[in-house]
Amino acid sequence: MNGCFEGVGLRCLFKGVSMAAPKPPKYLLAFDFDETIINENSDDSVIRAAPGQALPEHIRQTFRDGFYNEYMQRVFEYLGDQGVKMLNYKTVYENIPLSPGMPELFQFLSKNQDQFEIILLSDANMFGIECTLRAAGVYSLFRKIFSNPSGFDKRGYLTLGPYHTHKCHQCPANMCKRKILTEYLMERAQEGAEFESIFYVGDGANDFCPSVALTSTDIAFPRKGYPMHQMTQEMEKKQPRAFQASVVPWDSAVEVCRYLQELLKGKC
């Protein structure tokens, strides 16, 4: 993981940062969005707002691996040219289905907010994420959402920008979730927050990068059969015990919910 604090666990970077008084055990729960919280890719979903619900070939051919954010900027420009407005986007985003078991997991988390600090890291866009989470009634559960900035310009076109720049060669040019998570933990440590464990729920290759930095006290929840899960399995074969976090794959988020329920029971 060149440029991503190779070989360094997330917590050891922050030892000695905070001298705050001990607080009750609290867990940091980090979610991905596309194909994790929701059951599809929201960037693909917005195509439903396009004429004929399809993109022309000349737009699709501009895609370059690792530069999906730039590609989506062109897609939104095209959709704007076709008359797609804010209400059209909202209708799409608000009707994207949650992944199996996700409503049950959010219901559990809403009842145990004192135990979990919840954040979201996504390479989608802020407008779409907020629309979806508000429609599902779970927006308030998230302490912070990290995603690509988006908004509407004077023409009424949805515009998109990159989240940041980074030096990680494993991640898309516009976002390294490991860098985001590392910086967030530094910020929270300076504020006196200490997490007993970090839980990461995701599906994609860009979720694998931050999960590699987790330690033996943390849990990675990769969606079964998706790239994050496949990459953890491949790493275990090639470098046994190099992936330090415990791995709990899931088909339904109910499995994540049950694991967290058992965890809290053990603390009682």
Side-chain angles (χ1 to χ4, degrees):
M1 292 291 172
N2 296 332
C4 273
F5 308 100
E6 185 173 358
V8 180
L10 290 170
R11 277 184 197 72
C12 67
L13 293 171
F14 317 122
K15 287 182 178 177
V17 171
S18 173
M19 297 298 291
K23 295 182 179 180
K26 199 158 190 178
Y27 306 99
L28 179 65
L29 178 55
F31 279 97
D32 170 52
F33 182 66
D34 290 320
E35 298 184 294
T36 297
I37 288 179
I38 59 174
N39 205 33
E40 49 191 62
N41 184 316
S42 60
D43 287 335
D44 293 337
S45 303
V46 296
I47 307 306
R48 292 199 285 266
Q53 300 190 358
L55 294 175
E57 184 64 22
H58 75 271
I59 295 290
R60 291 192 288 114
Q61 287 183 350
T62 65
F63 171 76
R64 289 189 300 151
D65 191 37
F67 294 88
Y68 197 78
N69 183 266
E70 291 183 8
Y71 169 71
M72 286 305 300
Q73 291 176 33
R74 292 187 290 273
V75 170
F76 289 135
E77 181 74 14
Y78 167 78
L79 293 176
D81 288 343
Q82 303 307 306
V84 178
K85 301 296 184 184
M86 180 189 292
L87 183 60
N88 305 117
Y89 285 113
K90 281 191 68 178
T91 299
V92 171
Y93 286 126
E94 290 175 352
N95 286 282
I96 297 176
L98 299 182
S99 291
M102 202 57 66
E104 290 84 350
L105 175 56
F106 282 133
Q107 185 176 31
F108 164 77
L109 293 173
S110 69
K111 295 177 180 177
N112 293 277
Q113 294 184 55
D114 60 328
Q115 294 295 319
F116 298 96
E117 181 167 304
I118 308 171
I119 61 174
L120 191 157
L121 299 83
S122 170
D123 197 11
N125 73 82
M126 190 66 76
F127 173 77
I129 290 171
E130 290 187 359
C131 286
T132 301
L133 296 182
R134 290 185 189 280
V138 298
Y139 179 79
S140 63
L141 289 177
F142 293 86
R143 184 179 187 272
K144 197 156 186 178
I145 295 172
F146 300 91
S147 190
N148 299 302
S150 59
F152 292 86
D153 64 15
K154 294 179 180 179
R155 302 170 298 171
Y157 286 27
L158 179 59
T159 61
L160 177 68
Y163 180 79
H164 62 185
T165 59
H166 60 83
K167 297 180 180 179
C168 177
H169 301 307
Q170 314 299 322
C171 290
N174 63 294
M175 177 176 285
C176 173
K177 293 184 179 181
R178 184 169 181 174
K179 177 178 170 64
I180 295 172
L181 184 57
T182 298
E183 292 175 348
Y184 182 77
L185 288 169
M186 173 67 83
E187 174 189 309
R188 295 297 287 128
Q190 292 173 339
E191 294 168 351
E194 296 182 4
F195 301 108
E196 186 170 314
S197 298
I198 301 170
F199 306 130
Y200 195 103
V201 186
D203 76 289
N206 63 351
D207 297 311
F208 177 73
C209 184
S211 69
V212 171
L214 300 177
T215 69
S216 59
T217 61
D218 304 325
I219 310 292
F221 292 97
R223 192 169 184 180
K224 290 180 183 177
Y226 285 72
M228 180 185 176
H229 186 210
Q230 295 165 353
M231 294 170 80
T232 58
Q233 291 175 316
E234 290 169 5
M235 187 173 190
E236 180 58 29
K237 289 179 182 178
K238 296 177 181 178
Q239 305 174 60
R241 294 180 294 280
F243 194 92
Q244 296 184 45
S246 297
V247 179
V248 181
W250 59 279
D251 273 320
S252 167
V254 169
E255 297 165 77
V256 179
C257 183
R258 288 172 182 162
Y259 186 96
L260 299 179
Q261 286 175 324
E262 291 302 315
L263 175 80
L264 293 191
K265 286 181 182 177
K267 294 294 179 182
C268 296

